[in-house]
DNA sequence: CCAACTCATAGCATCGATGCTATGAGTGGC
DNA sequence: GCCACTCATAGCATCGATGCTATGAGTTGG
């Protein structure tokens, strides 16, 4: 079945790390971002190569990111956002009211 | 005036890099996040040390981050968010309509 | 004046993300 | 069957963020 597992496993293992709820969250966010970018890219009918060119990176980097293989850094997210005509938003929203 | 300049200068230089609008944006976001965290921390009457303890890092790391001395990674932001009872939100919002 | 506390930096080690090239597998067209 | 295209990985080099300890300066309280 083509066995394309490594990054997926990497990600899964990360999301399963017990004592690290924060790490889990970061990995989850990375995964969501990867899916979002893939959706936007496909929405434009772009190949990973096209997006890579626009974002100033290589196809392998895009694949790695979309697969959730790593937790992306803000500069990379910015470049992808620009390439996709999107805005990168990063916020800390208080869970409890300012009370 | 006490001359506490290095990180500030580092940040300023980063935000001035010409060909790198993305880098500028990332630096700007880092700066905003630093200010936001500082505000939340002070709102609780916590010292950098208190926050550091809660977030599992050292006072110097908190100072560096609040000063915008580095572009934070998602795991660090998550830990800070948790320590401050906040949620970390990272999103790519399309600038142009789906058109 | 001294002690304690808070924050800004320095300097260094280490880990992890990114950048690269190359390759394998799957698909579609000719 | 062959070629071209797309995507998933491997493997490696490098850069940069984080983690640490230690220190200096400024403040406040005694």
């Amino acid at each position: 079945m083509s066995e394309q597992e490594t990054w997926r496993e990497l990600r899964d293992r990360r999301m399963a790390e017990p004592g690290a709820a924060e790490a889990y969250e970061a990995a989850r966010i990375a995964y969501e971002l990867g899916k979002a970018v893939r959706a936007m890219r496909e929405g434009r009918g772009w190949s990973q190569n096209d997006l890579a060119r626009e974002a100033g990176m290589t196809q392998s980097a895009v694949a790695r990111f979309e697969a959730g293989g790593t937790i992306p850094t803000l500069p990379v997210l910015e470049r992808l956002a620009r390439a996709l005509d999107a805005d990168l938003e990063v916020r800390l929203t208080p869970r409890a009211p300012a009370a």
Side-chain angles (χ1 to χ4, degrees), chain A residues 33 45 61 63:
Chain A
L33 287 170

Side-chain angles (χ1 to χ4, degrees), chain A residues 12-47:
Chain A
D12 289 348
R13 217 171 315 129
R14 258 209 275 249
M15 295 184 54
E17 267 165 35
E22 326 77 19
Y24 170 91
E25 260 302 293
R28 198 182 61 71
I29 290 176
Y31 177 59
E32 299 295 342
L33 287 170
K35 278 202 307 185
V37 165
R38 170 163 298 189
M40 291 189 204
R41 174 175 66 78
E42 295 181 333
R44 302 195 162 212
W46 284 5
S47 68

Side-chain angles (χ1 to χ4, degrees), chain A residues 38 41-54 59 62-63 66 84:
Chain A
R38 170 163 298 189
R41 174 175 66 78
E42 295 181 333
R44 302 195 162 212
W46 284 5
S47 68
Q48 290 182 339
N49 226 312
D50 295 331
L51 174 57
R53 184 178 355 272
E54 290 298 318
Q59 176 263 325
V62 172
E66 286 189 356
L84 292 165

Side-chain angles (χ1 to χ4, degrees), chain A residues 74-94:
Chain A
L74 297 189
V76 167
L77 289 175
E78 248 308 301
R79 281 191 284 164
L80 287 170
R82 273 167 194 269
L84 292 165
D85 266 309
D87 280 316
L88 173 62
E89 281 183 67
V90 183
R91 286 188 309 202
L92 286 177
T93 61

